[in-house]
């Protein structure tokens, strides 16, 4: 299983339209906070993994630009891409570097500047994220469109309604209102969501995460080093990773994301947990709600509830604080924002804060089990990462 | 007539460009101040058009058969697996022993969506429906569905594949038509 790895530093920028900074300045906001919280400097970092999808932003080699700006020039450096799960792949990449014994201290930085291009160009780039030649070139799918294919199938099979989907948006906007880092710090009601225009039927504007600029960073350390750095490490208990077909036409089922389910089972197995009825293991979850339907499928793919029960969970308020399992207390991708390459790193940073009882007032989960789970999906189930974090040192 | 999404997008860019040009003639820099955020933005002076040259040599037969009204897939001879989109290599038998087969035209809709907010390069079209249908031999195909009223669409409905000319570009592709 390799060496034990702990999160010893975290950083998180304000998410939103960040025309006030360039990509390196944006990344630095998070890197600086991560250095400060870990009480480390650039010279201590032995390995740097930068997640960025790009295309819509000017710098084609963002890792080197960010690294130079942050005084990290000279370190082993990677830019990793797993679409919207790039951030988790950067964390996993850094985790593997420490776990394998290659280095003692590694950093994962996620950054995305989507607002450097006009919205239709961004819609174009994300729409191409699948199999470009066979599913975009002739048929012009959009990212909401891909998830709408799942929403149509899910709603038809289980009887979920557009109102049920909107409940996810309402919850996540509610928690984002307590998160100063969130893109949308305002609550919404059901009519606001229901009256918003269709972008890809049956999904509406308020079913969708926004176009976001933002960054996040985490510093990971080996057990020996972590002990010296902090009294309150957050341990990475396990990471599960999987992938799905590029062409959506090659999938058998459109009511769940198979890759996310495989990644979840892998993460549970590595952490020694059962893979059914799993909500009880965790105090809090961050799941990939790029669209409202995605959060509902996540509940099921993660085994919180059985197939077809996910929409009832949010309808009954079971994913608010005090319910079965609080989900996306950061506001989620939906309202905190979704700077594609930063999202996965943001999830790990957020859950570390939650576990250490350092989340903002109004959105702090009650920590009893000392365990949290992050679910990060790239593309439309093209990539999936499930990361389990905990306050207890992982078992040998 | 309301503006198409393409016209809106182009207009917004032109407006940015004219701001930048004004600034260039006044302060000598393409620096514009975003009216929403009140921050300075450099209006990029380099422009890139993306158009890719994608090889279809190995799957040429698929495209050439469209003009004969046929939609082809490949079949791995050793395993019997049918591949669509067609591919000429069989990873499971580690060979390139494939035969071309014609796909049946009739199928049932697996799922669908109606795209209203379009990508830039599709912004000149009216709203369109994208669906995935399972053909009678079990192969799934993704294509446009010639019906944009959600009330007239449902999962499981019968559809037929048609080879059509996509306008205004004027090239052959395929689409589902409700039966």
């Amino acid at each position: 299983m390799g060496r034990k790895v702990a999160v010893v530093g975290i950083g998180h920028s304000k998410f939103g339209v960040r025309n006030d900074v360039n990509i390196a300045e944006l990344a630095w906001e998070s890197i600086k906070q991560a250095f400060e919280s870990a009480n480390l400097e650039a010279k201590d970092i032995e390995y740097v993994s930068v997640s960025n999808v790009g295309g819509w932003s000017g710098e084609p080699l963002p890792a080197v630009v960010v690294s130079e700006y942050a005084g990290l020039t000279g370190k082993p450096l990677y830019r990793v891409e797993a679409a919207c799960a790039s951030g988790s792949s950067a964390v996993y990449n850094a985790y593997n570097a420490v776990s394998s014994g290659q280095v003692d201290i590694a950093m994962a930085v996620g950054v995305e500047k989507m607002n450097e291009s006009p919205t239709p160009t961004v819609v174009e780039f994300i729409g191409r994220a699948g199999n470009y030649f066979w599913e975009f070139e002739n048929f012009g799918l959009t990212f909401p469109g891909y998830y709408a294919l799942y929403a149509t199938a899910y709603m038809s099979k289980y009887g979920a309604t557009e109102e049920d989907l909107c409940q996810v948006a309402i919850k996540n906007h509610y928690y984002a209102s307590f998160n100063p880092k969130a893109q949308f710090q305002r609550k919404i009601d059901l009519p606001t969501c229901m009256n918003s225009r269709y972008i890809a039927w049956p999904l509406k504007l308020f079913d969708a995460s926004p176009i976001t600029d933002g960054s996040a960073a985490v510093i990971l350390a080996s057990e020996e080093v972590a002990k010296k750095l902090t009294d309150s490490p957050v341990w990475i208990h396990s990471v599960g990773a999987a992938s799905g077909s590029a062409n959506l036409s090659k999938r058998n089922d459109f009511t769940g994301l198979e890759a996310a389910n495989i990644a979840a089972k892998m993460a549970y197995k590595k952490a020694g947990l059962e893979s059914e009825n799993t909500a009880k293991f965790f105090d809090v979850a961050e799941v990939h709600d790029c669209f409202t339907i995605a959060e509902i499928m996540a509940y099921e793919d993660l085994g919180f509830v059985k197939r077809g029960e996910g929409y009832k969970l949010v309808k009954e308020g079971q994913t608010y604080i005090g319910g079965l399992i609080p989900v996306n207390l950061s506001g989620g991708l939906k309202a905190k924002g979704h700077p594609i390459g930063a999202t996965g790193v943001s999830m790990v940073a957020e859950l570390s804060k939650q576990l250490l009882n350092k989340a903002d007032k109004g959105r702090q989960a009650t920590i009893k089990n000392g365990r949290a789970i992050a679910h990060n999906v790239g593309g439309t189930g093209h990539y999936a990462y499930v990361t389990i974090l905990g306050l207890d040192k992982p078992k040998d | 007539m309301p503006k198409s999404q393409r016209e809106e997008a182009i207009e917004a860019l032109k407006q940015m460009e004219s701001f930048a040009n004004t600034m260039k003639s006044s302060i000598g820099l393409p620096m514009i101040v975003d009216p929403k955020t009140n921050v300075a933005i450099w209006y990029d002076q380099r422009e890139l058009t993306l158009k890719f040259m994608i090889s279809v040599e190995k799957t040429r037969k698929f495209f050439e058969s469209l003009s004969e009204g046929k939609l082809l897939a490949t079949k791995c001879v050793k395993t019997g697996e049918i591949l669509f989109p067609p591919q000429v290599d069989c990873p499971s038998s580690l060979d390139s022993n494939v035969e071309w087969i014609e796909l049946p035209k009739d199928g049932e809709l697996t799922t669908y969506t109606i795209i209203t907010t379009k990508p830039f390069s599709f912004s000149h079209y009216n709203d369109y429906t994208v669906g995935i249908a399972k053909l009678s031999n079990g192969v799934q195909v993704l294509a446009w569905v010639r019906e944009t009223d959600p009330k007239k669409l449902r999962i499981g409905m019968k559809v037929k594949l048609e080879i059509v000319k996509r306008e205004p570009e004027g090239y052959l592709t395929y689409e589902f038509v409700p039966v």
Side-chain angles (χ1 to χ4, degrees), chain A residues 124 138 140 149 152 201 251, chain B residues 111-113 121 128 140 166 171:
Chain A
E124 175 100 20
N138 295 320
L149 293 172
T152 304
W201 186 94
R251 310 223 179 138
Chain B
T111 189
Y112 56 93
T113 176
S121 67
Y128 48 87
Q140 287 192 139
R166 174 68 60 78
Y171 72 100

Side-chain angles (χ1 to χ4, degrees), chain A residues 49-54 56 78-93 109-112 125-126 129-130 143 147 239-244 251 257 259 263 288 290 333 338-345 347 375-387:
Chain A
S49 183
V50 176
S51 50
N52 172 269
V53 174
W56 34 64
Y78 300 83
R79 180 237 193 129
V80 294
E81 181 278 316
C84 318
S86 297
S88 288
S89 74
V91 173
Y92 191 34
N93 186 257
V109 182
V111 64
E112 204 72 57
F125 269 112
I126 320 181
F143 202 41
Y147 271 93
V239 182
S243 57
R251 310 223 179 138
L257 297 174
H288 198 87
C290 51
L333 284 58
H338 182 25
I340 295 199
T343 288
V345 186
M347 286 177 168
H375 157 280
N376 190 196
V377 175
T380 315
H382 291 102
Y383 305 86
Y385 290 83
V386 172
T387 307

Side-chain angles (χ1 to χ4, degrees), chain B residues 17-70:
Chain B
E17 190 163 15
S18 92
F19 285 146
N21 287 339
T22 309
M23 292 302 275
K24 276 197 279 188
S25 53
S26 69
I27 62 166
L29 293 168
M31 201 166 74
I32 54 184
V33 176
D34 184 329
K36 274 192 209 157
T37 54
N38 197 32
V39 297
I41 290 165
W42 182 271
Y43 187 78
D44 202 344
Q45 297 300 289
R46 309 289 156 210
E47 191 169 330
L48 184 66
T49 306
L50 290 177
K51 216 179 233 308
F52 302 111
M53 312 295 151
I54 299 163
S55 176
V56 291
E57 173 55 27
K58 298 252 178 147
T59 50
R60 204 162 155 175
K61 206 172 163 84
F62 171 85
F63 296 96
E64 289 173 348
S65 297
L66 288 175
S67 61
E68 298 160 24
K70 289 180 191 167

Side-chain angles (χ1 to χ4, degrees), chain B residues 74-83 90 92-93 95 97-99 101 137 139:
Chain B
T74 49
K75 186 176 176 182
C76 293
V77 172
K78 267 196 194 146
T79 63
E81 192 188 355
I82 300 172
L83 297 164
C90 300
S92 51
S93 49
D95 63 26
N97 190 7
V98 295
E99 57 184 15
I101 59 159
N137 67 347
V139 170

Side-chain angles (χ1 to χ4, degrees), chain B residues 95-138:
Chain B
D95 63 26
S96 303
N97 190 7
V98 295
E99 57 184 15
W100 286 90
I101 59 159
E102 188 180 349
L103 286 173
K105 295 276 169 55
D106 49 319
E108 283 181 10
L109 206 53
T110 305
T111 189
Y112 56 93
T113 176
I114 303 155
I115 306 294
T116 42
T117 297
K118 293 148 213 149
F120 182 75
S121 67
F122 280 75
S123 57
H124 56 298
Y125 295 115
N126 292 325
D127 294 354
Y128 48 87
T129 300
V130 182
I132 294 173
K134 188 171 263 189
L135 305 181
S136 57
N137 67 347

